Amino acid sequence: GETIRATLFPGDGIGPEIAESVKQVFNVAGVPIEWEEHYVGTEVDPRTESFLTWESLESVRRNKVGLKGPMATPIGKGHRSLNLTLRKELGLYANVRPCNSLPGYKTRYDDVNLVTIRENTEGEYSGLEHQVVRGVVESLKIITRQASLRVAEYAFHYAKANGRERVSAIHKANIMRKTDGLFLKCCREVAEKYPEIQYEEVIIDNCCMTLVKNPGLFDVLVMPNLYGDIISDLCAGLIGGFGPDTPVATSVKVAFCLAEAVHGSAPDIAGMNLANPTALMLSAVMMLRHLQFNDQADRIHNAILKTIAEGKFRTADLGGKASTSEFTNAVCDHI
Amino acid sequence: GETIRATLFPGDGIGPEIAESVKQVFNVAGVPIEWEEHYVGTEVDPRTESFLTWESLESVRRNKVGLKGPMATPIGKGHRSLNLTLRKELGLYANVRPCNSLPGYKTRYDDVNLVTIRENTEGEYSGLEHQVVRGVVESLKIITRQASLRVAEYAFHYAKANGRERVSAIHKANIMRKTDGLFLKCCREVAEKYPEIQYEEVIIDNCCMTLVKNPGLFDVLVMPNLYGDIISDLCAGLIGGFGPDTPVATSVKVAFCLAEAVHGSAPDIAGMNLANPTALMLSAVMMLRHLQFNDQADRIHNAILKTIAEGKFRTADLGGKASTSEFTNAVCDHI
Ligand SMILES: CC(C)[C@H](C(=O)O)[C@@H](O)C(=O)O
Ligand SMILES: CC(C)[C@H](C(=O)O)[C@@H](O)C(=O)O
């Protein structure tokens, strides 16, 4: 087989350590990937208007696939958010997060098995805001037919390809009749092309109430940007959260595929061999599936689940005593 | 003591039945209230542009206090949402929902003891939307200094008056820097005047994750309109929901005080003596506290909690077999 080149952003804080874990696991599983590693710069690159270097963006553009650790955007003016820059520059329009209860790791929920698909380019994230008069400000939420159709198409295609039964469009069209109304209209159009997939529409407030009462009622959820931001984190919380404290959720961007751990960079425990690499490993698994390395993806995924279920080598955030490398070694042993 | 006049909107669906329960309970507790009952009209009143009659709005304006059952806005054009019309016409700017685990009624959470305070007049509910070009629509989110200050002031005042320790402002100012930024700025200004109350700021996605993992970390939450809509329903879900299925949360509006059950009108079980009147009763308790009838409020509140905790007369939504009137009689017996 040939070797694939992929971009790796280890990120900052605990990023380099957990990226090391992924590299180790990939080696043991025999994944034929050669990494192009790029760190976030220490000053603003005028060509990207951010701390991301031009070369690092070019690397992802060329390779079309990447893995990204946590990146904290430095505070200050004159530069753009790292995460938003990546999404925008690479056109990462769908943010996909499978969310499953981890066997053997107890939370208040053991019945979570859903996928959130978030439109990731527009909506409340337009960046368009201004002061109308003193003391009165407005933000613009933009919804387009083009972006709505493509994320809806992605959701239904995903549902079909992954044996899912239902797509729920989440909205607040009873209030935002035009913007969320257009989003729903696009979802309905796409739904017509997938008669084998059930389709429903759920108002966001009701959706959140149902999620905390009975998440098992949901399958695939598709929604505009801000609702996706809120609901995907809510869902991550149901299975234990994904913070540096309990990183057990995963995220992957498509078109270009840039898998990323969604937790923070936890500077307080950086370099201490304490971080839990699960979220980045699960992201790496999604990257492998994107590349159709399904065999390696399955072996690594099962090894992660087994290690957590056994419980002997859990990291501190999951109530255990293992270090990052002990956990990683245990995963490698299970591969 | 003198008699207070208050407006009662029984609402539709199960509304009239559960309103009957409240009247019965108030009688037994000796609450000196005389109701002015108003039903939603069967056609649009041109003076209100909605199915609410002018007379009914005048009644609340005059009495300054009311109790409202569920109202389903008829579908169609040329009229306004009933709920939004009431909020707007009466200037109901803060939506307050205490949210407490019900002793003896088991959900996944037994540690909920928080209050959500939602700005209820602006934000994403501005009603300002338009098509920019074909396939591109926008909605305006409006945040004003005036409305933000007054809801922040309400939240801190509420915290102090109710022996609460902390106010958390919920926002997405990392994205909506101007609108949510102004909201936060106003909260900070008010926080300075209440040094005895702790103040923190929490990003909404993180807030939702924390709420489902550990709601006990929150005390009083204050936020713009849409976040409040989402989070107050999420919180209601934590304690069992408030739908017609499990109506155990409560809501009250201030300035004018219009207490209302936040669940739907459940037309499928209307008139069958099956509805759970708890949410409307708890709303009525809040109305009594607003009127400083604290003694009657306490007695009714305790009687409701006792009836649910005992479990003998629970309605079907809480897993019991009691009818609306059996539950109501049990509450009356406990007063
Ligand atoms: C960091 C922030 C800009 C980002 C977002 O709001 O999209 C984050 O919450 C996420 O979900 O990736
Ligand atoms: C019915 C709807 C307009 C309303 C809202 O979004 O405010 C409801 O969800 C609520 O919370 O009272």
Side-chain angles (χ1 to χ4, degrees):
Chain A
E2 64 178 318
T3 296
I4 303 274
R5 292 185 74 81
T7 306
L8 177 63
F9 290 101
D12 40 55
I14 57 173
E17 293 162 79
I18 59 180
E20 226 25 78
S21 297
V22 169
K23 288 199 255 177
Q24 186 182 333
V25 165
F26 271 29
N27 272 339
V28 172
V31 179
I33 274 191
E34 203 171 309
W35 295 109
E36 285 180 12
E37 272 188 54
H38 286 276
Y39 283 83
V40 176
T42 51
E43 46 197 67
V44 174
D45 185 326
R47 295 166 299 174
T48 67
E49 289 171 50
S50 95
F51 287 83
L52 289 168
T53 63
W54 178 260
E55 288 71 25
S56 68
L57 289 180
E58 276 302 299
S59 167
V60 194
R61 286 207 188 91
R62 200 170 45 238
N63 297 327
K64 295 197 172 49
V65 61
L67 181 67
K68 173 186 164 294
M71 289 180 187
T73 301
I75 293 175
K77 289 199 165 179
H79 62 87
R80 299 193 286 166
S81 146
L82 299 172
N83 294 298
L84 296 192
T85 303
L86 275 168
R87 287 178 202 167
K88 197 122 193 178
E89 293 297 325
L90 304 175
L92 302 170
Y93 68 84
N95 189 325
V96 185
R97 286 205 210 163
C99 185
N100 294 286
S101 297
L102 282 177
Y105 176 60
K106 219 179 131 39
T107 71
R108 305 192 200 225
Y109 299 82
D110 55 12
D111 48 351
V112 183
N113 173 13
L114 55 83
V115 184
T116 58
I117 298 182
R118 162 187 179 187
E119 201 291 323
N120 217 355
T121 66
E122 57 177 30
E124 300 77 356
Y125 286 66
S126 70
L128 300 169
E129 293 190 293
H130 64 274
Q131 175 172 303
V132 183
V133 295
R134 231 182 122 82
V136 179
V137 285
E138 63 185 36
S139 304
L140 268 55
K141 165 173 171 170
I142 311 283
I143 297 285
T144 67
R145 182 169 157 78
Q146 192 215 354
S148 303
L149 279 177
R150 93 186 152 182
V151 76
E153 185 63 60
Y154 183 88
F156 278 92
H157 180 266
Y158 180 98
K160 190 171 175 181
N162 290 276
R164 296 272 177 181
E165 284 174 11
R166 187 164 13 103
V167 170
S168 311
I170 313 304
H171 68 97
K172 189 82 195 176
N174 51 337
I175 296 298
M176 281 160 282
R177 292 174 197 226
K178 294 208 174 149
T179 48
D180 286 3
L182 175 57
F183 184 80
L184 287 184
K185 193 162 168 287
C186 293
C187 289
R188 281 176 211 156
E189 270 181 52
V190 176
E192 298 243 315
K193 298 197 288 171
Y194 291 84
E196 67 279 31
I197 307 285
Q198 296 164 37
Y199 172 67
E200 65 170 2
E201 296 169 356
V202 185
I203 300 182
I204 182 163
D205 47 347
N206 182 28
C207 174
C208 289
M209 197 189 71
T210 305
L211 275 170
V212 301
K213 285 175 70 176
N214 196 352
L217 293 177
F218 289 106
D219 195 347
V220 175
L221 295 86
V222 64
M223 54 225 142
N225 210 343
L226 180 67
Y227 308 153
D229 181 49
I230 294 170
I231 286 188
S232 59
D233 277 15
L234 187 167
C235 291
L238 299 177
I239 60 167
F242 60 79
D245 49 327
T246 41
V248 289
T250 176
S251 165
V252 69
K253 308 291 176 62
V254 290
F256 291 81
C257 168
L258 182 70
E260 63 176 333
V262 290
H263 55 71
S265 56
D268 49 320
I269 59 162
M272 294 166 72
N273 199 20
L274 289 174
N276 183 345
T278 303
L280 196 64
M281 285 187 187
L282 290 173
S283 303
V285 166
M286 291 192 68
M287 189 187 92
L288 292 178
R289 293 202 199 285
H290 176 83
L291 293 168
Q292 313 261 328
F293 289 147
N294 289 322
D295 171 50
Q296 287 97 332
D298 288 344
R299 280 161 57 216
I300 296 175
H301 196 178
N302 290 334
I304 297 168
L305 294 185
K306 230 183 229 159
T307 307
I308 292 175
E310 284 180 3
K312 207 168 141 200
F313 291 106
R314 286 188 189 163
T315 45
D317 55 302
L318 299 186
K321 294 209 168 96
S323 65
T324 308
S325 31
E326 282 164 343
F327 175 82
T328 307
N329 291 337
V331 173
C332 289
D333 289 346
H334 279 115
I335 291 176
Chain B
E2 66 180 313
T3 295
I4 303 275
R5 292 185 73 82
T7 307
L8 177 63
F9 291 102
D12 41 55
I14 56 173
E17 292 162 79
I18 60 180
E20 224 28 76
S21 296
V22 169
K23 287 198 256 177
Q24 186 182 334
V25 165
F26 271 29
N27 272 339
V28 173
V31 178
I33 274 190
E34 203 171 308
W35 294 110
E36 285 179 12
E37 271 187 56
H38 286 276
Y39 282 83
V40 175
T42 51
E43 48 197 68
V44 174
D45 185 324
R47 294 165 301 173
T48 67
E49 289 170 51
S50 95
F51 286 83
L52 289 168
T53 63
W54 179 260
E55 287 71 25
S56 67
L57 288 180
E58 277 302 300
S59 167
V60 194
R61 286 207 188 91
R62 199 169 48 238
N63 297 328
K64 295 196 171 50
V65 62
L67 181 66
K68 172 185 163 295
M71 289 181 187
T73 300
I75 292 174
K77 290 199 165 183
H79 62 86
R80 300 191 286 165
S81 145
L82 299 172
N83 295 297
L84 297 192
T85 303
L86 274 169
R87 288 178 202 167
K88 196 120 195 179
E89 294 296 324
L90 304 175
L92 302 169
Y93 68 85
N95 188 324
V96 184
R97 285 205 211 163
C99 185
N100 295 286
S101 297
L102 283 177
Y105 176 60
K106 220 179 131 38
T107 71
R108 305 193 200 223
Y109 300 82
D110 55 13
D111 48 351
V112 183
N113 174 11
L114 55 83
V115 183
T116 58
I117 298 182
R118 161 186 181 190
E119 200 291 322
N120 218 355
T121 66
E122 58 177 28
E124 300 77 357
Y125 286 66
S126 70
L128 300 169
E129 291 189 294
H130 64 274
Q131 176 172 303
V132 183
V133 295
R134 231 182 122 82
V136 179
V137 285
E138 61 184 38
S139 304
L140 269 56
K141 165 172 170 171
I142 311 282
I143 297 285
T144 67
R145 182 169 159 78
Q146 192 215 353
S148 303
L149 280 177
R150 96 187 149 180
V151 77
E153 185 64 60
Y154 183 87
F156 279 91
H157 180 267
Y158 180 98
K160 189 171 175 181
N162 289 275
R164 296 272 177 180
E165 283 174 12
R166 188 163 11 105
V167 170
S168 310
I170 313 303
H171 68 97
K172 189 83 195 176
N174 51 337
I175 297 297
M176 280 161 282
R177 292 173 196 227
K178 294 207 175 152
T179 48
D180 286 4
L182 175 58
F183 184 81
L184 287 184
K185 192 162 170 288
C186 294
C187 289
R188 281 176 212 157
E189 270 181 53
V190 176
E192 299 244 314
K193 297 196 291 172
Y194 291 83
E196 67 279 31
I197 306 285
Q198 296 163 36
Y199 172 66
E200 65 170 1
E201 296 169 355
V202 185
I203 300 181
I204 182 163
D205 46 347
N206 181 29
C207 174
C208 289
M209 198 190 69
T210 304
L211 275 170
V212 301
K213 285 176 69 177
N214 196 352
L217 293 177
F218 289 106
D219 195 347
V220 175
L221 294 86
V222 64
M223 54 225 142
N225 210 343
L226 181 67
Y227 308 152
D229 180 49
I230 295 170
I231 287 189
S232 60
D233 278 14
L234 188 167
C235 291
L238 300 177
I239 61 167
F242 60 79
D245 49 328
T246 41
V248 290
T250 174
S251 166
V252 70
K253 309 291 175 63
V254 289
F256 291 81
C257 168
L258 182 70
E260 64 177 332
V262 290
H263 55 71
S265 57
D268 49 320
I269 58 162
M272 293 165 73
N273 199 20
L274 289 175
N276 183 345
T278 302
L280 195 64
M281 284 186 186
L282 290 173
S283 303
V285 166
M286 292 193 67
M287 188 186 93
L288 291 178
R289 294 203 199 284
H290 176 84
L291 293 168
Q292 312 260 326
F293 289 147
N294 289 321
D295 170 51
Q296 287 98 331
D298 288 343
R299 279 162 58 214
I300 296 176
H301 196 178
N302 290 334
I304 297 168
L305 294 184
K306 230 183 227 160
T307 307
I308 291 175
E310 284 180 2
K312 205 168 141 200
F313 291 105
R314 286 190 189 160
T315 45
D317 54 302
L318 299 186
K321 294 209 166 98
S323 65
T324 308
S325 32
E326 281 163 344
F327 175 83
T328 307
N329 290 336
V331 173
C332 290
D333 289 345
H334 279 116
I335 291 176

